[in-house]
Amino acid sequence: MKLYVDAGNTRLKWCLEEAGTTVANGAGVLDEENPFPGLAGYASGIRGIAVSTVASEEKRERLLGYLAVLSKVPARCYWSEPERGGLQNAYSDYDRMGADRWHGMYGAWLDHKQGFVVVDAGSAVTVDFVNQCGRHLGGYILPGLQMMFRSLKTDAARIGFDPEQVLETGPGKSTGECVNHGLAWLSDAMIARIRWDAQAFGLADVLVTGGDADRLIRLGLTGIHRPDLVLAGLRAIADEETS
Ligand SMILES: Nc1ncnc2c1ncn2[C@@H]1O[C@H](COP(=O)(O)OP(=O)(O)OP(=O)(O)O)[C@@H](O)[C@H]1O
Ligand SMILES: CC(C)(CO)[C@@H](O)C(=O)NCCC(=O)O
Ligand SMILES: [K+]
């Protein structure tokens, strides 16, 4: 079995595969005592470990330390690349791009050769455009929902509210409504821009992933929900490298 890990800034997602079939999968938090609940029982069967991470070096080392205790098999980290299988990175400083973006785009490229937009709504939100030639046209990095709630709470003294995930976008009549509706309104505007840009670039498929994917879809983003997109890209790349 091979273990694939997508470690973001908030949570990590993993899946265990055997001959193209998912044996088990799960999610966890790196700072917790057991970041991989449900995995330990499979440890002795692990024959390879591939990691995609955007967490700090300190967190990456903690992750590798945890995996080293779990299994004797060394973990290999996979990073952003200039090109793979016809997909071309728009960054000239390609190694500055978050591994999750590259792996997400590659996961999408595998079965959307007609071009696509990837929206990854995680701790941060990223939007990336890839055309039918496999050319990454570039993208955007925005603060994620929790990050925006947190910055309003901590950086403004008199904004007191309970963060709520609402779909209402009308003008608020209390601090709570102004903040919660405000962030839904902002996401709504982002969704309209994604639709507009996708059309301008001639891209029909919008693939949505990340912890807040559902929220964006409920707010009206028309797209294909692919919770496993980063893991799918990582899996394909790791398998190509080791076969
Ligand atoms: N069980 C959960 N735990 C934490 N966040 C969650 C959960 N379910 C949904 N979310 C939402 O998911 C977002 C985090 O997304 P995700 O889990 O994709 O993060 P991540 O992969 O760590 O992020 P990134 O890759 O951007 O660092 C948060 O903003 C939060 O609103
Ligand atoms: C933007 C995030 C945080 C999204 O997870 C990640 O992809 C990252 O840390 N990227 C590095 C900067 C870049 O992609 O240009
Ligand atoms: K992510």
Side-chain angles (χ1 to χ4, degrees):
M1 284 183 293
K2 274 177 142 184
L3 174 67
Y4 303 91
V5 182
D6 164 20
N9 283 298
T10 313
R11 291 190 311 145
L12 63 83
K13 280 112 325 195
W14 58 269
C15 72
L16 206 50
E17 304 263 329
E18 172 81 73
T21 315
T22 304
V23 179
N25 55 34
V29 177
L30 194 50
D31 299 326
E32 281 174 9
E33 199 173 297
N34 178 6
F36 294 92
L39 178 61
Y42 298 99
S44 64
I46 296 174
R47 298 285 170 267
I49 305 175
V51 175
S52 171
T53 186
V54 296
S56 65
E57 268 309 288
E58 189 193 335
K59 283 194 176 184
R60 188 177 71 93
E61 272 158 28
R62 195 177 322 143
L63 171 67
L64 295 182
Y66 187 88
L67 290 170
V69 172
L70 188 79
S71 166
K72 286 193 185 69
V73 177
R76 176 166 168 191
C77 291
Y78 289 84
W79 306 101
S80 188
E81 303 167 304
E83 191 276 338
R84 177 177 291 267
L87 178 69
Q88 298 150 50
N89 200 326
Y91 275 33
S92 47
D93 260 351
Y94 66 88
D95 51 0
R96 291 287 184 104
M97 173 185 279
D100 57 348
R101 291 174 67 193
W102 180 248
H103 296 144
M105 281 194 273
Y106 194 67
W109 177 239
L110 293 172
D111 36 37
H112 295 268
K113 294 287 193 301
Q114 62 278 45
F116 52 84
V117 185
V118 173
V119 180
D120 188 340
S123 307
V125 175
T126 56
V127 182
D128 282 292
F129 302 90
V130 173
N131 73 9
Q132 66 280 10
C133 303
R135 196 154 65 86
H136 175 220
L137 305 173
Y140 299 101
I141 301 174
L142 312 166
L145 182 67
Q146 300 309 323
M147 213 179 261
M148 291 196 281
F149 276 135
R150 210 160 45 236
S151 65
L152 286 173
K153 267 233 149 100
T154 54
D155 299 339
R158 289 169 190 267
I159 307 185
F161 63 96
D162 289 321
E164 270 178 70
Q165 282 206 28
V166 301
L167 302 181
E168 286 94 339
T169 54
K173 297 191 175 67
S174 65
T175 307
E177 280 186 11
C178 288
V179 167
N180 290 311
H181 294 202
L183 294 188
W185 183 66
L186 191 60
S187 300
D188 201 49
M190 178 187 74
I191 289 166
R193 272 315 295 255
I194 291 171
R195 196 177 295 133
W196 176 267
D197 287 356
Q199 202 166 24
F201 292 130
L203 309 173
D205 296 340
V206 179
L207 308 187
V208 198
T209 193
D212 288 318
D214 251 347
R215 172 177 174 273
L216 294 185
I217 290 166
R218 279 187 286 119
L219 279 167
L221 180 61
T222 325
I224 307 164
H225 191 188
R226 288 285 308 271
D228 65 331
L229 201 59
V230 173
L231 285 173
L234 171 67
R235 194 161 61 221
I237 291 172
D239 293 359
E240 285 166 23
E241 292 291 301
T242 54
S243 63

PDB file of all heavy atoms in Angstrom, residues 6 8 13 100 120 122 210 230, ligand 3:
ATOM      1  N   ASP A   6      -1.662  15.163   1.893  1.00  0.00           N
ATOM      2  CA  ASP A   6      -1.773  16.574   1.497  1.00  0.00           C
ATOM      3  C   ASP A   6      -1.860  17.377   2.793  1.00  0.00           C
ATOM      4  O   ASP A   6      -2.890  17.386   3.452  1.00  0.00           O
ATOM      5  CB  ASP A   6      -3.039  16.748   0.630  1.00  0.00           C
ATOM      6  CG  ASP A   6      -3.485  18.207   0.490  1.00  0.00           C
ATOM      7  OD1 ASP A   6      -2.665  19.112   0.708  1.00  0.00           O
ATOM      8  OD2 ASP A   6      -4.674  18.413   0.140  1.00  0.00           O
ATOM      9  N   GLY A   8      -1.954  20.832   4.480  1.00  0.00           N
ATOM     10  CA  GLY A   8      -2.173  22.267   4.299  1.00  0.00           C
ATOM     11  C   GLY A   8      -1.785  23.036   5.544  1.00  0.00           C
ATOM     12  O   GLY A   8      -1.168  22.498   6.465  1.00  0.00           O
ATOM     13  N   LYS A  13      -4.916  15.893   4.837  1.00  0.00           N
ATOM     14  CA  LYS A  13      -5.769  14.856   4.285  1.00  0.00           C
ATOM     15  C   LYS A  13      -4.874  13.726   3.808  1.00  0.00           C
ATOM     16  O   LYS A  13      -3.762  13.983   3.333  1.00  0.00           O
ATOM     17  CB  LYS A  13      -6.573  15.399   3.090  1.00  0.00           C
ATOM     18  CG  LYS A  13      -7.787  16.202   3.499  1.00  0.00           C
ATOM     19  CD  LYS A  13      -7.799  17.692   3.220  1.00  0.00           C
ATOM     20  CE  LYS A  13      -6.606  18.524   3.285  1.00  0.00           C
ATOM     21  NZ  LYS A  13      -6.714  19.953   3.330  1.00  0.00           N
ATOM     22  N   ASP A 100       0.540  22.381  -3.283  1.00  0.00           N
ATOM     23  CA  ASP A 100      -0.884  22.022  -3.418  1.00  0.00           C
ATOM     24  C   ASP A 100      -1.475  22.554  -4.721  1.00  0.00           C
ATOM     25  O   ASP A 100      -2.289  21.879  -5.360  1.00  0.00           O
ATOM     26  CB  ASP A 100      -1.700  22.501  -2.201  1.00  0.00           C
ATOM     27  CG  ASP A 100      -1.604  24.003  -1.927  1.00  0.00           C
ATOM     28  OD1 ASP A 100      -0.735  24.682  -2.512  1.00  0.00           O
ATOM     29  OD2 ASP A 100      -2.407  24.484  -1.104  1.00  0.00           O
ATOM     30  N   ASP A 120      -9.272  26.401  -5.094  1.00  0.00           N
ATOM     31  CA  ASP A 120      -8.968  25.664  -3.861  1.00  0.00           C
ATOM     32  C   ASP A 120      -9.277  26.586  -2.682  1.00  0.00           C
ATOM     33  O   ASP A 120      -8.543  27.533  -2.401  1.00  0.00           O
ATOM     34  CB  ASP A 120      -7.500  25.223  -3.861  1.00  0.00           C
ATOM     35  CG  ASP A 120      -7.188  24.286  -2.688  1.00  0.00           C
ATOM     36  OD1 ASP A 120      -7.946  24.279  -1.696  1.00  0.00           O
ATOM     37  OD2 ASP A 120      -6.174  23.570  -2.751  1.00  0.00           O
ATOM     38  N   GLY A 122      -9.178  26.769   0.755  1.00  0.00           N
ATOM     39  CA  GLY A 122      -8.622  26.244   1.997  1.00  0.00           C
ATOM     40  C   GLY A 122      -8.331  27.385   2.963  1.00  0.00           C
ATOM     41  O   GLY A 122      -9.073  28.369   3.007  1.00  0.00           O
ATOM     42  N   GLY A 210     -10.983  21.914  -1.416  1.00  0.00           N
ATOM     43  CA  GLY A 210     -10.679  22.624  -0.172  1.00  0.00           C
ATOM     44  C   GLY A 210     -11.850  22.595   0.803  1.00  0.00           C
ATOM     45  O   GLY A 210     -12.993  22.322   0.421  1.00  0.00           O
ATOM     46  N   VAL A 230      -5.978  17.509  -4.947  1.00  0.00           N
ATOM     47  CA  VAL A 230      -4.534  17.607  -4.663  1.00  0.00           C
ATOM     48  C   VAL A 230      -3.948  16.194  -4.509  1.00  0.00           C
ATOM     49  O   VAL A 230      -2.895  15.879  -5.077  1.00  0.00           O
ATOM     50  CB  VAL A 230      -4.283  18.468  -3.403  1.00  0.00           C
ATOM     51  CG1 VAL A 230      -2.821  18.441  -2.996  1.00  0.00           C
ATOM     52  CG2 VAL A 230      -4.746  19.905  -3.643  1.00  0.00           C
TER      53      VAL A 230
HETATM   54  K     K B   3      -5.322  22.725   0.184  1.00  0.00           K
END
